[in-house]
Amino acid sequence: MLLNNIKDVKTIIQQWKKEGLTIGLVPTMGALHIGHASLIKKAKETCDRVVVSVFVNPIQFGPNEDFQKYPRTLKKDEELCNELGADIVFAPSAIEMYGENTGLCNNELTFVCPAYNIVDALCGKSRPGHFDGVATVVLKLFNISKADYAFFGQKDAQQLFIIKKMVKDLNLDIKIISCPIVREHDGLAVSSRNIYLSESEREQALTISKALFHIKELYSKGIKDTSVLFDSAISILDKNIELDYLEFRDFSTFEKAQMAQENTLVAIAAKAGKTRLIDNIIL
Ligand code: AMP
């Protein structure tokens, strides 16, 4: 069932809660693909009722980012959600979520400020304000859906970390379920932004996951020094790829890791042409 307004969603959820049903939320920006589908399937296995939100959240995009151009395929998204058995597809407008100012004017909105030491790293560095926007919309979606479980992809590892920390720090009654990265047959992480890639950019982009797999292989052979791992991964990247970062972080504290070990997050962001892509592995 496709719903656009918060009141309608709340009315249905209230009824489900009365019936003692568990609710799973899958927050997305739409343009759904097999990565999103894996989250929805996991939610179906875990919960009695599943809400998929489809919302291209304006407050998490910077002024020079792809908010206007971001792919919007609501009809197809709704069909996929129905096929997968989602109970509600919640696709609000920006006005429904943020009122007349659509939240684009940040000083007129209450924001969630995620922990600065985590925000001031990786994607947060080149996308100022991005994670404030993400945490804010996610908290709103938690409150609207009253979900017991929410499903996030490890693909956005920093986002996942920030959301888990928000839940802990703000004592939210919701369980965050992390889902593995879904990849194309050749290893490229599936992303709504992959459609921007030309054929040659896709070839270049493929070296991003190859570099990560190379690190994993070297690590499994006993190489732990992250500067050695960094250098050999860089040599795999296509020379046309514009690297934003390739970093090693402890995935339980988010601190930089000098030596790789179990649970080290290796995260990369890079541009193929104009398209910014992110990927990661956990060792
Ligand atoms: P997005 O629509 O890009 O905001 O993503 C919505 C959710 O889907 C996030 O939790 C993402 O981490 C997750 N997701 C996106 N791509 C993938 C993928 N390839 N594999 C698994 N989860 C993904």
Side-chain angles (χ1 to χ4, degrees):
M1 172 189 347
L2 178 68
L3 297 175
N4 306 110
N5 76 64
I6 296 169
K7 203 164 154 248
D8 293 346
V9 174
K10 282 192 163 181
T11 307
I12 292 171
I13 303 273
Q14 211 172 20
Q15 185 56 38
W16 288 344
K17 286 272 165 188
K18 260 190 209 155
E19 292 169 28
L21 301 171
T22 56
I23 296 162
L25 171 71
V26 182
T28 82
M29 296 204 299
L32 300 184
H33 50 61
I34 51 174
H36 298 113
S38 73
L39 270 55
I40 300 170
K41 282 181 198 159
K42 182 74 186 165
K44 279 294 288 181
E45 283 165 28
T46 316
C47 306
D48 298 318
R49 294 289 181 269
V50 172
V51 179
V52 180
S53 62
V54 174
F55 181 56
V56 186
N57 177 32
I59 67 166
Q60 71 186 65
F61 285 80
N64 299 316
E65 294 183 356
D66 58 345
F67 173 68
Q68 298 297 344
K69 170 176 148 198
Y70 197 85
R72 287 158 170 88
T73 58
L74 185 57
K75 191 88 205 84
K76 269 176 70 184
D77 293 348
E78 189 193 354
E79 280 165 19
L80 179 66
C81 289
N82 288 340
E83 259 171 50
L84 294 171
D87 300 278
I88 291 179
V89 179
F90 175 47
S93 65
I95 290 182
E96 179 69 10
M97 287 296 272
Y98 298 117
E100 284 304 322
N101 296 309
T102 68
L104 289 166
C105 181
N106 292 0
N107 52 13
E108 289 176 19
L109 240 197
T110 302
F111 266 81
V112 177
C113 262
Y116 194 70
N117 62 333
I118 302 160
V119 165
D120 189 35
L122 309 188
C123 288
K125 269 208 165 119
S126 52
R127 306 189 70 187
H130 169 68
F131 287 115
D132 299 21
V134 169
T136 303
V137 80
V138 167
L139 182 60
K140 281 171 75 74
L141 291 168
F142 287 176
N143 285 336
I144 293 164
S145 67
K146 307 227 168 13
D148 304 282
Y149 296 83
F151 298 79
F152 290 86
Q154 185 207 304
K155 161 97 177 5
D156 297 83
Q158 189 176 13
Q159 168 176 287
L160 175 64
F161 193 94
I162 285 170
I163 300 299
K164 277 188 172 168
K165 185 149 169 58
M166 173 178 82
V167 166
K168 183 165 173 268
D169 290 353
L170 301 183
N171 308 95
L172 305 180
D173 287 324
I174 190 162
K175 197 161 174 356
I176 304 301
I177 309 290
S178 157
C179 303
I181 300 178
V182 176
R183 299 179 178 280
E184 304 280 2
H185 60 95
D186 53 8
L188 182 73
V190 178
S191 162
S192 305
R193 289 189 168 101
N194 288 353
I195 59 156
Y196 299 151
L197 298 170
S198 67
E199 214 172 296
S200 63
E201 286 166 353
R202 195 190 178 288
E203 284 298 311
Q204 296 162 20
L206 199 52
T207 63
I208 295 174
S209 53
K210 282 204 171 124
L212 291 174
F213 300 151
H214 184 60
I215 288 176
K216 189 149 194 157
E217 201 189 321
L218 293 180
Y219 172 75
S220 70
K221 287 181 179 156
I223 301 176
K224 308 227 159 84
D225 185 331
T226 56
S227 58
V228 174
L229 294 170
F230 178 93
D231 288 343
S232 58
I234 292 297
S235 70
I236 303 268
L237 282 182
D238 187 286
K239 63 177 179 359
N240 293 307
I241 288 282
E242 189 190 317
L243 184 67
D244 179 354
Y245 63 76
L246 168 62
E247 284 199 27
F248 297 76
R249 299 248 165 188
D250 183 317
F251 202 44
S252 47
T253 61
F254 226 72
E255 273 166 22
K256 272 193 182 169
Q258 301 304 329
M259 300 300 283
Q261 57 183 357
E262 213 184 297
N263 209 32
T264 297
L265 167 74
V266 189
I268 186 168
K271 270 188 182 168
K274 288 196 172 124
T275 307
R276 189 174 184 281
L277 300 168
I278 57 169
D279 198 352
N280 68 77
I281 47 167
I282 294 173
L283 298 175

